[in-house]
Amino acid sequence: MSRETQVKDRAEQGPRNPGWAGETGDFPHLTESDVRGLEYVGLRPLDGGHPGASSSHPFHRAEKNPDAPLFEGPYKERLEKILSRYPEKRAALLPTLAMAQEIRGYLSAETMDEVAQALGLAPAYVRGVATFYTMYNKAPVGTYLIQVCTNVCCNLCGGDEVLEAFLDHVDAEPGEISEDGRFTVTAAECLGACGFPTVVQINERYFENVTPESVPEILASLRAQGTASVGQGSGVAQPATAPSDDAGED
Ligand code: FES
């Protein structure tokens, strides 16, 4: 059976795994919204978010300010909390980079150098670490960073076609910002939700069982949200008011 036929068959069958079906198992007090909805991601626990949000780092805000100060005000406090969790500053590098990306949207060479200075590390060491991990953006991204899983499970179920559909609809190359500034589409390695292919992460939020046919609807819903972060409803926190997180950096 050809790949085209397989993908077409799958599209006709609909999602094989329905994903969330209201089954909460041992946690009947949780609602779908708690587990997967907007309540789950976007707000840190001390800011009223679900504790599970700590697993959704690094945050990708819809509004980004590449010139925002890195370690001032609440972010200075956050850095101190991060540092207090580790025996040496070097061990705090990953969460500090994640925080820098949360503030500025991506890690420029200058940002990496600022992080190096704050942690007393060699700039080359910090750049080596930051460029190793794909979760750190090394270039600016659009309001919505759309990461399409093209790893094995999703690939077998049409991940490449979903990626192609997103790129076609936003009219941009992989990694580019679309002309309206809203979207950047990239291919991602396994997003850890292999039972629900194709999986797409948009800012903090996961979309599961995505097909090429569902792409226009997803993009339309994002456009309708304006600049609100996918995971945050309308409450986009600014660096100056960022909450000091006690649960999210490790
Ligand atoms: S292969 Fe796509 S989420 Fe794992």
Side-chain angles (χ1 to χ4, degrees):
M1 187 185 293
S2 72
R3 178 170 173 74
E4 286 72 30
T5 312
Q6 283 179 336
V7 171
K8 185 165 166 285
D9 282 356
R10 179 174 186 276
E12 282 168 2
Q13 287 163 9
R16 288 177 192 163
N17 188 330
W20 175 268
E23 177 54 63
T24 53
D26 292 337
F27 306 96
H29 60 290
L30 295 178
T31 64
E32 176 174 0
S33 175
D34 289 331
V35 178
R36 294 192 174 182
L38 298 181
E39 300 304 316
Y40 179 68
V41 291
L43 288 179
R44 290 161 182 272
L46 291 184
D47 204 38
H50 191 284
S54 59
S55 66
S56 64
H57 283 211
F59 277 59
H60 291 281
R61 287 206 166 118
E63 291 185 0
K64 305 166 176 66
N65 180 2
D67 300 318
L70 277 190
F71 306 118
E72 289 182 11
Y75 282 113
K76 183 168 180 285
E77 196 183 321
R78 284 255 308 272
L79 178 64
E80 282 161 9
K81 281 188 178 174
I82 291 171
L83 291 176
S84 73
R85 296 180 189 140
Y86 299 95
E88 54 181 283
K89 284 185 173 179
R90 191 169 66 130
L93 178 54
L94 295 183
T96 308
L97 287 171
M99 189 175 82
Q101 173 162 290
E102 177 186 324
I103 298 167
R104 294 186 173 170
Y106 79 107
L107 300 178
S108 65
E110 293 72 30
T111 299
M112 294 178 205
D113 290 352
E114 280 183 64
V115 170
Q117 196 175 11
L119 299 183
L121 299 171
Y125 177 79
V126 172
R127 291 190 193 196
V129 171
T131 53
F132 175 80
Y133 291 102
T134 56
M135 66 192 183
Y136 298 122
N137 304 324
K138 265 67 79 181
V141 296
T143 302
Y144 298 111
L145 177 61
I146 301 173
Q147 301 180 79
V148 182
C149 177
T150 54
N151 211 301
V152 179
C153 298
C154 294
N155 193 286
L156 288 172
C157 295
D160 282 346
E161 286 74 11
V162 172
L163 175 65
E164 226 22 72
F166 272 111
L167 291 169
D168 281 353
H169 282 87
V170 307
D171 195 21
E173 296 294 315
E176 268 186 9
I177 300 177
S178 62
E179 215 170 286
D180 60 8
R182 285 178 191 257
F183 305 110
T184 295
V185 181
T186 62
E189 295 305 325
C190 179
L191 291 171
C194 316
F196 311 98
T198 291
V199 180
V200 180
Q201 182 179 354
I202 303 182
N203 289 2
E204 284 83 52
R205 190 173 177 191
Y206 271 33
F207 291 74
E208 296 163 340
N209 299 313
V210 177
T211 63
E213 292 71 33
S214 52
V215 168
E217 191 186 339
I218 292 172
L219 289 175
S221 75
L222 297 178
R223 288 191 172 102
Q225 286 182 43
T227 58
S229 172
V230 175
Q232 289 179 302
S234 58
V236 182
Q238 298 299 313
T241 58
S244 68
D245 178 15
D246 220 13
E249 257 71 40
D250 34 21

